[in-house]
Amino acid sequence: MSQHRLEKSLSRFEPFRSGAYRALQYFVLAAGLAAMTATTVPELPSALRTWLAVSLWCCLGFFAGELAIKCWLRSRSEPASDYLLSSSGAIDVLAVLPIPVALLIGVPGDSAWLLASLWLLKLTAFVPGLSLLGRVISLEARPLASVFVIFLIVLLLASVALYILERAGQPERFGSLPLSLWWAVTTLTTTGYGDSVPQTFMGRVIAGIVMICGLGVFGLWAGILATGFAAEHRRRDFIQNWDLVTRVPFLRNLDPPAIIELTHMLRRVDLAEETVVVRRGRPGDCMYFIVSGEVEVELDPRPIRLGPGSFFGEIALLEGGQRTATVVTTVPSTLLLLEVSDFREFTAHHPDVAKLVEAEATRRAVKNH
Amino acid sequence: MSQHRLEKSLSRFEPFRSGAYRALQYFVLAAGLAAMTATTVPELPSALRTWLAVSLWCCLGFFAGELAIKCWLRSRSEPASDYLLSSSGAIDVLAVLPIPVALLIGVPGDSAWLLASLWLLKLTAFVPGLSLLGRVISLEARPLASVFVIFLIVLLLASVALYILERAGQPERFGSLPLSLWWAVTTLTTTGYGDSVPQTFMGRVIAGIVMICGLGVFGLWAGILATGFAAEHRRRDFIQNWDLVTRVPFLRNLDPPAIIELTHMLRRVDLAEETVVVRRGRPGDCMYFIVSGEVEVELDPRPIRLGPGSFFGEIALLEGGQRTATVVTTVPSTLLLLEVSDFREFTAHHPDVAKLVEAEATRRAVKNH
Amino acid sequence: MSQHRLEKSLSRFEPFRSGAYRALQYFVLAAGLAAMTATTVPELPSALRTWLAVSLWCCLGFFAGELAIKCWLRSRSEPASDYLLSSSGAIDVLAVLPIPVALLIGVPGDSAWLLASLWLLKLTAFVPGLSLLGRVISLEARPLASVFVIFLIVLLLASVALYILERAGQPERFGSLPLSLWWAVTTLTTTGYGDSVPQTFMGRVIAGIVMICGLGVFGLWAGILATGFAAEHRRRDFIQNWDLVTRVPFLRNLDPPAIIELTHMLRRVDLAEETVVVRRGRPGDCMYFIVSGEVEVELDPRPIRLGPGSFFGEIALLEGGQRTATVVTTVPSTLLLLEVSDFREFTAHHPDVAKLVEAEATRRAVKNH
Amino acid sequence: MSQHRLEKSLSRFEPFRSGAYRALQYFVLAAGLAAMTATTVPELPSALRTWLAVSLWCCLGFFAGELAIKCWLRSRSEPASDYLLSSSGAIDVLAVLPIPVALLIGVPGDSAWLLASLWLLKLTAFVPGLSLLGRVISLEARPLASVFVIFLIVLLLASVALYILERAGQPERFGSLPLSLWWAVTTLTTTGYGDSVPQTFMGRVIAGIVMICGLGVFGLWAGILATGFAAEHRRRDFIQNWDLVTRVPFLRNLDPPAIIELTHMLRRVDLAEETVVVRRGRPGDCMYFIVSGEVEVELDPRPIRLGPGSFFGEIALLEGGQRTATVVTTVPSTLLLLEVSDFREFTAHHPDVAKLVEAEATRRAVKNH
């Protein structure tokens, strides 16, 4: 790699995105949180306590080092403040600064180290689906808020009713509205601690209605989120697939409605090198388009290699049989997978594409002999 | 604003719909409910109790004043009784009248103020999704009722079984059918207080079956509501968008199937003035149509302004790149947003519209130079 | 009504299907079940106990009378055994026979009357959605069984693990596998009575995993039922609407794809006589087709009446405004409702139908002047 | 059956797939697990204990015998190790080996027999939907992981907060972070044992928020699984039906888009011999295509038999009436069922197919007279 490309890749934190580094981060994170949890157990022998403190400082050091390197790399191309003010930068700073600051201003060690729970925020950077969830929740904000208002109304009315009905019999459980609200929230969420339980007949009837409302709130919540999730998921996949489809010449040159239909059907598959994609003799339930990388088809006279823009696995779909050859990736590759059900549906709507695929398959077979 | 327009806007309660007024209402509501809740705590010092009483009377005064002003404004155009009998009028009256009436007929102060929980009904006016929920529940009333009947049958059969099995061993817990029903409802809703727990072997087997039925009832409820919600949501969005689409000449003049398809895809966005809609250099993931208001496109020689009926943001979609200019609203504006995935799908089905959009984009680019 | 028609209607139990009779049945059912529940309370004064016994015998008498009349009516057209062996006949018999039989064979009164809980089965006859639920569950039987097997596996493995971990510390709670299974089922269904709670560290870790699995089982269950419900609901509505659509000549004569599309969009509405269907000046959000019955359109010179096969309410949709006339039913009527969103979608796909509707509207307006 | 066919069918374990054998397996499995569970009850009389031990050894013997026969059969066509290393082979081995091994290395009998819970894994082989569930979970792994990360973050933050707030008041309940985590997991899953309950005001407010988050996590989980399940279910049915459709000449010869549409609509039905498929005089709500097997149509002059590739039940759909004849299977048969709603939709889109079906129906009616 040239000096220039190395720098560019460093300033984008590419080494920080590799699988090995990510595994290390997960390990440090898990170790740190486990150490923090263990520290709070009073029965711990003091020897172990020392070791836990050491490991906590090591984890903090690791995150501090990560922050420093990222700042330094980024500062070569843009002001470091840009990075520190971005959401991922803020998470990195929150993982490092609060603990020493707390210790400096005199917070006792036990309490200060509880701030290590902020390290958990680092997980949000690794979770690609989190933004999807956030979007669904923001799109469905109105009906979700409506369900929440219903929840609040039921909560308050139930607790006022129980306060009136039960305060005479159980003053220590329902003697004030806050106590009664506590009962209502544990009941409406169907948690049911059982620390406050209505004893009067009417109180129990109302409690029963509150529990059934709890089921209803669950159902509405799930229904709303399911609706939003289905729509958003489809949209997200489409955008991701579109970028990949436009990199495959064979797909890019189809007429627009065919591209749209296919984009909805394809699924991205990322494979490491030397991975077996299809195995000879197995039933063929999908075909593949190569977006990037390379695969080797282990054909009989001599193996052939297919690069970006090629496709394979179509013979088993066209003839409805088993795989005729094993295919292995030679380098890390990104493929687009088309299931047999979608292949049949697509070729039924676009018989010309089916002919193109068949022609290509024949051409390849002839060339190989 | 002319005297006439002011009166008209007042009689429609427009000042009552502004964001600032709404925030004030939320604050008064929250303060009032918090004060009501706090009043019921017996341990409260009497000084604080006085302050709470004062704030409760202030909240009541606020709602009374709101009711009086609304009545007076409305009475100028129609009989005040029309307003008082409407659902929003009834809620306003319910927030004001019951408390003084209760105090007058001799209900003790503590209990009378509990009627302040009726203030919560004011929230229903602010929640636009509540009518949607109501419609889903009414449309799905039949299957929901079926699930409820199943719920009742399981409830009664389980409590009869447990009454027979457990009454000998735990007469104070399962000694009558009402006691046994109480156990059944806490178990079937999976609340599980733990105050009555079966002890016999057969009783526990039946309890296990009841819990599993509880999961099933949850699942059915959620499934029914999800189905109804998805259908109703789609219909609601269509009607809202249709009204907006017909205000944009470019969209209104498409052929009907294209309008229908687009109406399903668009999403309404309401923006305050001086809001950045798109920012130069960011990836372009949608385009916008202006329904009302105005935006300023910060192009290089001189910025241009686009009014209702215009669209922008299409260049990044057509060329697949980044935003070429920052766009800011100059007045509060309503836009229709078309996501890149929907744009691609739509232009694939209607290539002529894609050409119109492109022609307009070119025309604008030329005009600007 | 002629003697013949009366007999025919009686042998189909038509009087038993009227709203008033159904309300009476609900009342007797509710009163009987409430009396049965109250009888089991030991603290009851004996005077009240006598009254409860009287009302229970009255309810039983009512159901016995109903059974006798149904048998007699049905026996005039077919053997009574046919009715008794049908599912609704079996339910009627189960409501009447078991209690006297139990009393005769010497079961004490308290226990015999518990059989009155079988009366609840009568509810299943009134609930139209119950067969829909049954069909969804039978169609999705395979995945539901899979979730149940997962549930069983988690249940058994968790209870074996907890038995091993906790039996030393809490022999009275986890000292045998059945006790441990009881804990597992209350935990996996997230009921959580709290009567047996793991105390060891590993026991609690496993309990936490079991609870999370409980959430997962919920989610899977809801997901499966939601999928099946959506499909079945759509199918059911289609079949019901098709029967109605073929009774409206205007709809029946459309070309088949248009009929299919419309059948998916329409919704059945049953109205009593003298019901206001649309009110002048209200916003128009749907149009109606008359399947059976008659409506009166209160137009200005003189009202006109529309019978089966006519439609109304289309003017507000075509011109996008308010209702131009109030429409009232004159007899009990069945209408098909087409929402504005569906109307727009339908006329966009079938512009010729839109013209037919418009022509009819014009013809009617002209005729009226 | 010839010797060759017998061997081939044996090596595929066909006798092991028959309904009777499967029922036997279920019985042995249930008996074994019940015996294992009963063994752990300390109060058991020793006579019963002996019988339980005998039945456990019998079950183990049964599974060992099954394993031995399967190995022997398979070893005639391929190395036995292939079978032992497959997933179903591994399950068979896990059911047999661990218990004797545990007994040999000196594990006491009680504990060793707990390994019989591994027998439950045999159920996974019978549950066809399990792979479907697995696929849905793997396809939706990203959003599910996101929800899990949110779950973890809420869990840790809540337990840190409660540890700080409650450790002073309830050191035995919230005195360390692990204790506080235990509270958090029982609350966030809405299990709510009630063994640790927050007592401070702020602690209860946070507990309320955690419970509501618990509802949200439920909802998200259900929403994600419902979305994935709907997509996967459709795909699975399509692939299964496609294989069957291509075996019916009448269907195979339709044009591709019609085949695709029909494949989505059909549903597979497996029937035993001498089963009544449709009964004369019943309303006709579907038609059938015969994939394999044979049916007898009980027509008036003489019954006719229909073999693979034929269809029946179409007359009631075409004429909208009742079944004109009873149809019974003569051998075990596989049919494809087309509901009336789908039939109408399909023939509306493909009027030529409707004509073909009608022609065939006429031809058959003529031939029969």
Side-chain angles (χ1 to χ4, degrees):
Chain A
M1 206 186 281
S2 72
Q3 179 63 19
H4 179 74
R5 279 189 60 199
L6 176 66
E7 287 210 356
K8 199 171 160 196
S9 104
L10 278 173
S11 83
R12 283 183 193 159
F13 305 147
E14 274 172 16
F16 288 110
R17 283 178 188 159
S18 74
Y21 184 76
R22 192 165 280 193
L24 176 63
Q25 254 186 329
Y26 279 125
F27 173 77
V28 172
L29 190 59
L33 292 175
M36 177 194 81
T37 305
T39 315
T40 64
V41 179
E43 299 84 11
L44 226 60
S46 63
L48 186 52
R49 200 172 287 277
T50 316
W51 279 110
L52 289 173
V54 168
S55 41
L56 278 170
W57 279 108
C58 288
C59 295
L60 186 62
F62 176 85
F63 291 126
E66 194 186 23
L67 175 66
I69 293 170
K70 278 191 187 174
C71 269
W72 175 71
L73 286 174
R74 191 64 84 90
S75 66
R76 299 171 70 161
S77 59
E78 52 179 5
S81 63
D82 272 25
Y83 160 66
L84 294 175
L85 292 174
S86 72
S87 69
S88 83
I91 286 171
D92 288 345
V93 171
L94 274 175
V96 173
L97 272 196
I99 297 171
V101 167
L103 290 170
L104 281 177
I105 63 173
V107 174
D110 283 29
S111 305
W113 280 109
L114 291 177
L115 291 166
S117 50
L118 292 170
W119 295 349
L120 208 57
L121 295 176
K122 292 212 161 215
L123 271 186
T124 58
F126 304 153
V127 181
L130 216 58
S131 65
L132 176 57
L133 287 182
R135 236 177 97 87
V136 169
I137 290 170
S138 78
L139 280 179
E140 303 288 333
R142 286 180 169 204
L144 288 174
S146 305
V147 175
F148 192 68
V149 166
I150 295 172
F151 182 92
L152 284 183
I153 291 173
V154 173
L155 197 73
L156 194 70
L157 295 184
S159 56
V160 167
L162 266 279
Y163 168 65
I164 294 168
L165 291 163
E166 300 279 338
R167 64 180 159 179
Q170 308 187 70
E172 78 292 352
R173 292 289 174 211
F174 293 92
S176 73
L177 213 44
L179 285 171
S180 191
L181 272 168
W182 170 244
W183 165 83
V185 80
T186 59
T187 302
L188 189 52
T189 58
T190 77
T191 306
Y193 281 137
D195 55 339
S196 26
V197 175
Q199 301 295 342
T200 62
F201 178 72
M202 275 312 295
R204 288 188 164 190
V205 169
I206 289 170
I209 294 167
V210 168
M211 288 168 202
I212 294 167
C213 289
L215 294 192
V217 167
F218 258 153
L220 281 171
W221 223 292
I224 293 166
L225 290 170
T227 305
F229 209 87
E232 198 53 32
H233 206 267
R234 205 177 122 90
R235 179 166 293 170
R236 179 70 51 109
D237 282 353
F238 183 90
I239 295 173
Q240 283 186 353
N241 288 344
W242 180 273
D243 290 344
L244 299 176
V245 163
T246 51
R247 291 203 237 153
V248 178
F250 178 76
L251 300 177
R252 195 171 49 212
N253 297 333
L254 300 177
D255 60 312
I259 300 185
I260 296 294
E261 192 180 347
L262 206 55
T263 305
H264 280 301
M265 289 171 165
L266 291 165
R267 205 164 70 236
R268 179 193 183 138
V269 186
D270 290 300
L271 296 170
E273 63 192 52
E274 301 296 332
T275 311
V276 175
V277 190
V278 304
R279 198 179 285 277
R280 195 176 169 186
R282 291 283 166 86
D285 57 356
C286 55
M287 69 173 290
Y288 297 87
F289 297 90
I290 305 174
V291 176
S292 66
E294 193 191 49
V295 301
E296 192 172 83
V297 187
E298 294 176 356
L299 287 175
D300 199 20
R302 59 181 186 282
I304 62 166
R305 297 197 161 204
L306 299 173
S310 306
F311 52 84
F312 61 91
E314 76 287 351
I315 300 170
L317 303 195
L318 288 169
E319 293 165 15
Q322 299 179 321
R323 297 295 187 199
T324 52
T326 298
V327 179
V328 184
T329 57
T330 56
V331 292
S333 305
T334 298
L335 309 178
L336 285 168
L337 181 159
L338 182 64
E339 303 256 355
V340 60
S341 58
D342 293 329
F343 176 79
R344 297 235 164 92
E345 196 148 359
F346 181 73
T347 50
H349 297 158
H350 304 278
D352 47 319
V353 179
K355 272 177 212 143
L356 278 180
V357 169
E358 234 166 307
E360 169 69 19
T362 315
R363 196 185 58 74
R364 203 188 301 158
V366 170
K367 192 177 150 194
N368 203 42
H369 285 288
Chain B
M1 205 188 278
S2 72
Q3 178 67 18
H4 179 74
R5 280 189 59 199
L6 177 65
E7 285 210 356
K8 198 171 160 197
S9 105
L10 278 173
S11 82
R12 283 185 195 157
F13 305 145
E14 275 173 16
F16 288 111
R17 283 180 188 159
S18 74
Y21 185 76
R22 191 165 281 194
L24 176 64
Q25 254 186 330
Y26 279 125
F27 172 75
V28 172
L29 190 61
L33 292 175
M36 178 195 81
T37 305
T39 314
T40 64
V41 179
E43 298 83 12
L44 227 59
S46 63
L48 186 52
R49 199 172 286 278
T50 317
W51 279 110
L52 288 174
V54 169
S55 42
L56 277 171
W57 280 107
C58 288
C59 295
L60 186 63
F62 176 85
F63 291 127
E66 194 186 24
L67 175 65
I69 292 170
K70 278 191 185 173
C71 269
W72 175 72
L73 286 174
R74 191 64 84 90
S75 67
R76 300 171 70 161
S77 60
E78 53 179 4
S81 63
D82 273 24
Y83 159 65
L84 295 176
L85 293 174
S86 72
S87 69
S88 83
I91 286 172
D92 287 346
V93 170
L94 273 174
V96 173
L97 271 196
I99 297 170
V101 167
L103 290 170
L104 280 177
I105 63 172
V107 175
D110 283 29
S111 305
W113 280 109
L114 290 177
L115 291 165
S117 50
L118 291 169
W119 296 349
L120 207 58
L121 295 177
K122 292 210 161 218
L123 270 186
T124 59
F126 305 153
V127 180
L130 216 56
S131 65
L132 176 56
L133 287 182
R135 236 177 96 87
V136 169
I137 290 170
S138 78
L139 280 178
E140 302 289 331
R142 287 181 168 203
L144 288 175
S146 306
V147 175
F148 192 67
V149 166
I150 295 173
F151 182 91
L152 284 183
I153 291 173
V154 173
L155 197 72
L156 194 70
L157 295 184
S159 56
V160 167
L162 267 278
Y163 167 64
I164 294 168
L165 290 163
E166 300 278 337
R167 64 180 160 179
Q170 308 187 71
E172 77 292 352
R173 293 288 175 211
F174 292 91
S176 74
L177 213 44
L179 285 171
S180 190
L181 273 168
W182 169 245
W183 165 83
V185 80
T186 59
T187 301
L188 190 51
T189 59
T190 75
T191 306
Y193 281 137
D195 55 339
S196 25
V197 175
Q199 301 294 344
T200 63
F201 178 72
M202 275 312 295
R204 290 189 163 188
V205 168
I206 289 170
I209 294 166
V210 168
M211 288 168 202
I212 293 167
C213 290
L215 294 193
V217 168
F218 258 154
L220 281 170
W221 224 292
I224 293 166
L225 290 170
T227 305
F229 210 87
E232 198 53 32
H233 205 265
R234 204 178 123 89
R235 179 167 291 171
R236 179 73 48 111
D237 282 355
F238 184 90
I239 295 174
Q240 283 186 354
N241 287 344
W242 179 272
D243 290 344
L244 299 176
V245 163
T246 52
R247 292 202 238 154
V248 177
F250 177 76
L251 300 177
R252 196 171 48 212
N253 297 333
L254 301 178
D255 61 312
I259 300 185
I260 296 294
E261 192 180 346
L262 206 54
T263 305
H264 280 301
M265 290 171 165
L266 291 165
R267 206 163 69 235
R268 180 194 182 136
V269 186
D270 291 299
L271 296 170
E273 62 191 53
E274 302 295 335
T275 310
V276 175
V277 189
V278 304
R279 198 180 286 278
R280 196 176 169 187
R282 290 284 166 84
D285 57 357
C286 56
M287 70 173 290
Y288 297 88
F289 297 89
I290 305 175
V291 176
S292 67
E294 193 191 51
V295 301
E296 193 172 84
V297 187
E298 294 176 355
L299 287 175
D300 200 21
R302 59 181 186 284
I304 61 167
R305 296 196 163 204
L306 300 173
S310 306
F311 53 84
F312 62 92
E314 76 287 351
I315 300 170
L317 303 195
L318 288 169
E319 294 166 14
Q322 299 179 321
R323 297 295 187 198
T324 52
T326 297
V327 179
V328 183
T329 57
T330 57
V331 291
S333 305
T334 297
L335 310 178
L336 285 168
L337 180 158
L338 182 64
E339 303 256 356
V340 61
S341 59
D342 293 328
F343 177 79
R344 296 234 164 93
E345 195 147 0
F346 182 72
T347 50
H349 296 157
H350 304 277
D352 46 320
V353 179
K355 271 177 213 145
L356 278 181
V357 169
E358 233 166 308
E360 169 68 19
T362 314
R363 197 185 58 75
R364 203 188 301 157
V366 169
K367 193 176 151 195
N368 203 43
H369 285 289
Chain C
M1 204 187 279
S2 73
Q3 179 64 20
H4 179 74
R5 279 189 59 200
L6 176 66
E7 286 211 357
K8 199 173 160 197
S9 104
L10 278 173
S11 83
R12 283 185 193 157
F13 305 145
E14 275 173 17
F16 288 110
R17 283 179 187 160
S18 73
Y21 184 76
R22 192 165 282 193
L24 177 63
Q25 255 185 330
Y26 278 126
F27 172 76
V28 171
L29 190 60
L33 292 176
M36 177 196 81
T37 305
T39 315
T40 63
V41 179
E43 299 84 10
L44 226 59
S46 63
L48 186 54
R49 198 171 288 278
T50 317
W51 279 109
L52 288 174
V54 169
S55 41
L56 277 171
W57 279 107
C58 288
C59 296
L60 186 62
F62 177 85
F63 290 127
E66 194 186 24
L67 176 65
I69 293 170
K70 278 191 186 174
C71 269
W72 175 71
L73 286 174
R74 191 64 85 90
S75 67
R76 299 171 70 162
S77 61
E78 53 178 3
S81 63
D82 272 26
Y83 159 65
L84 295 175
L85 292 173
S86 71
S87 69
S88 83
I91 287 171
D92 288 346
V93 171
L94 274 175
V96 173
L97 272 196
I99 297 170
V101 167
L103 290 171
L104 281 177
I105 63 171
V107 175
D110 284 29
S111 305
W113 281 109
L114 290 176
L115 291 165
S117 51
L118 291 169
W119 296 349
L120 208 59
L121 294 177
K122 292 211 161 217
L123 271 186
T124 58
F126 304 154
V127 180
L130 215 56
S131 66
L132 176 56
L133 287 182
R135 236 177 95 86
V136 169
I137 289 170
S138 78
L139 279 178
E140 302 287 334
R142 287 182 169 204
L144 288 175
S146 306
V147 175
F148 192 68
V149 167
I150 295 173
F151 183 91
L152 285 183
I153 291 174
V154 174
L155 197 72
L156 194 70
L157 296 185
S159 56
V160 167
L162 267 278
Y163 168 64
I164 295 169
L165 290 164
E166 300 279 336
R167 65 181 159 178
Q170 309 187 72
E172 77 292 352
R173 293 287 176 212
F174 292 91
S176 73
L177 212 43
L179 285 171
S180 190
L181 271 167
W182 169 245
W183 165 84
V185 79
T186 60
T187 301
L188 189 52
T189 59
T190 76
T191 306
Y193 282 135
D195 56 340
S196 26
V197 175
Q199 301 295 344
T200 62
F201 178 72
M202 274 312 294
R204 291 188 162 189
V205 169
I206 289 170
I209 294 166
V210 169
M211 288 169 202
I212 294 167
C213 290
L215 294 192
V217 168
F218 258 154
L220 281 171
W221 223 292
I224 292 167
L225 290 170
T227 304
F229 210 86
E232 198 53 33
H233 206 267
R234 204 178 124 89
R235 181 166 292 173
R236 180 69 52 110
D237 282 355
F238 184 90
I239 294 174
Q240 282 186 354
N241 288 344
W242 180 272
D243 289 343
L244 300 176
V245 163
T246 52
R247 292 204 237 154
V248 178
F250 177 76
L251 300 177
R252 196 172 48 212
N253 297 332
L254 300 177
D255 60 312
I259 300 185
I260 297 293
E261 192 179 348
L262 206 55
T263 305
H264 279 301
M265 289 171 165
L266 291 165
R267 205 163 70 234
R268 179 193 182 138
V269 186
D270 291 299
L271 295 171
E273 63 191 52
E274 302 296 334
T275 311
V276 175
V277 190
V278 305
R279 200 180 285 278
R280 195 177 169 187
R282 290 285 166 84
D285 58 356
C286 56
M287 70 174 288
Y288 297 88
F289 297 90
I290 305 175
V291 177
S292 67
E294 194 192 50
V295 301
E296 192 173 84
V297 186
E298 294 176 355
L299 287 175
D300 200 21
R302 60 181 186 285
I304 61 166
R305 296 195 163 205
L306 299 174
S310 306
F311 52 84
F312 60 92
E314 76 288 352
I315 300 170
L317 302 195
L318 287 169
E319 292 165 16
Q322 299 178 321
R323 298 294 188 198
T324 52
T326 296
V327 179
V328 183
T329 56
T330 57
V331 291
S333 305
T334 297
L335 309 178
L336 285 168
L337 181 158
L338 182 64
E339 304 255 355
V340 61
S341 58
D342 293 328
F343 176 79
R344 296 233 165 93
E345 195 148 359
F346 182 72
T347 50
H349 296 157
H350 304 277
D352 46 319
V353 179
K355 272 177 212 144
L356 279 180
V357 170
E358 233 166 308
E360 170 68 19
T362 315
R363 197 186 57 74
R364 202 189 302 157
V366 168
K367 192 176 150 195
N368 203 41
H369 287 289
Chain D
M1 204 186 279
S2 73
Q3 179 64 20
H4 179 73
R5 278 189 60 199
L6 176 66
E7 287 211 354
K8 198 173 161 194
S9 104
L10 279 172
S11 82
R12 282 183 194 158
F13 305 147
E14 274 172 16
F16 289 110
R17 283 179 188 159
S18 74
Y21 184 76
R22 192 165 281 194
L24 176 64
Q25 254 186 329
Y26 279 126
F27 172 77
V28 172
L29 190 59
L33 292 175
M36 176 195 81
T37 305
T39 315
T40 63
V41 179
E43 299 85 10
L44 226 60
S46 64
L48 186 53
R49 199 172 287 279
T50 316
W51 280 110
L52 288 174
V54 168
S55 41
L56 278 171
W57 278 107
C58 287
C59 295
L60 186 62
F62 176 85
F63 290 126
E66 194 186 24
L67 176 65
I69 293 170
K70 278 192 187 174
C71 269
W72 175 72
L73 287 174
R74 192 64 84 89
S75 66
R76 299 171 69 160
S77 60
E78 53 180 2
S81 63
D82 272 24
Y83 159 65
L84 295 174
L85 293 173
S86 72
S87 69
S88 83
I91 287 172
D92 288 345
V93 170
L94 274 175
V96 173
L97 271 197
I99 298 171
V101 167
L103 289 169
L104 280 177
I105 62 173
V107 174
D110 283 30
S111 304
W113 281 109
L114 290 177
L115 290 166
S117 50
L118 291 169
W119 296 349
L120 207 58
L121 294 177
K122 293 212 161 215
L123 271 186
T124 59
F126 304 153
V127 181
L130 215 57
S131 66
L132 176 56
L133 287 182
R135 237 177 94 87
V136 169
I137 290 170
S138 79
L139 280 178
E140 302 288 334
R142 287 181 170 204
L144 288 174
S146 305
V147 174
F148 193 66
V149 167
I150 295 173
F151 183 91
L152 285 183
I153 291 173
V154 173
L155 197 73
L156 194 69
L157 296 184
S159 56
V160 166
L162 267 279
Y163 168 64
I164 294 168
L165 290 162
E166 300 279 336
R167 64 180 161 179
Q170 307 188 71
E172 77 291 353
R173 293 287 176 214
F174 292 92
S176 73
L177 213 43
L179 284 172
S180 190
L181 271 168
W182 169 245
W183 165 83
V185 80
T186 60
T187 301
L188 189 52
T189 59
T190 77
T191 306
Y193 281 136
D195 55 339
S196 27
V197 175
Q199 301 295 344
T200 62
F201 178 72
M202 274 313 295
R204 290 188 164 190
V205 169
I206 289 170
I209 294 166
V210 168
M211 288 168 202
I212 294 166
C213 289
L215 294 192
V217 168
F218 257 153
L220 281 170
W221 224 292
I224 292 166
L225 290 170
T227 304
F229 210 87
E232 197 53 32
H233 206 267
R234 204 178 123 89
R235 180 166 292 173
R236 179 70 50 110
D237 282 354
F238 183 90
I239 294 173
Q240 282 186 354
N241 288 344
W242 180 271
D243 289 344
L244 300 175
V245 164
T246 53
R247 292 202 237 154
V248 179
F250 178 76
L251 300 177
R252 194 172 49 212
N253 296 332
L254 301 177
D255 60 312
I259 300 185
I260 297 295
E261 193 180 346
L262 206 55
T263 305
H264 280 300
M265 290 172 164
L266 291 165
R267 205 163 70 234
R268 179 193 183 138
V269 186
D270 291 300
L271 296 171
E273 63 192 50
E274 301 296 333
T275 310
V276 175
V277 190
V278 305
R279 199 179 285 278
R280 196 177 168 186
R282 291 284 167 83
D285 57 356
C286 55
M287 69 173 289
Y288 296 88
F289 297 89
I290 304 174
V291 176
S292 66
E294 192 192 49
V295 301
E296 193 173 83
V297 186
E298 294 176 355
L299 287 175
D300 201 22
R302 58 180 186 283
I304 61 167
R305 296 197 163 203
L306 299 174
S310 306
F311 53 84
F312 61 92
E314 76 288 351
I315 301 170
L317 303 195
L318 287 169
E319 293 166 14
Q322 299 178 322
R323 296 296 187 199
T324 53
T326 297
V327 179
V328 184
T329 57
T330 57
V331 291
S333 305
T334 297
L335 310 178
L336 285 169
L337 181 159
L338 182 63
E339 304 255 356
V340 60
S341 59
D342 293 328
F343 176 79
R344 296 233 164 93
E345 195 147 0
F346 182 72
T347 50
H349 297 158
H350 305 277
D352 47 318
V353 179
K355 271 176 213 145
L356 278 180
V357 169
E358 235 167 307
E360 169 69 18
T362 314
R363 197 185 58 74
R364 202 187 302 158
V366 170
K367 192 177 150 194
N368 203 43
H369 286 289

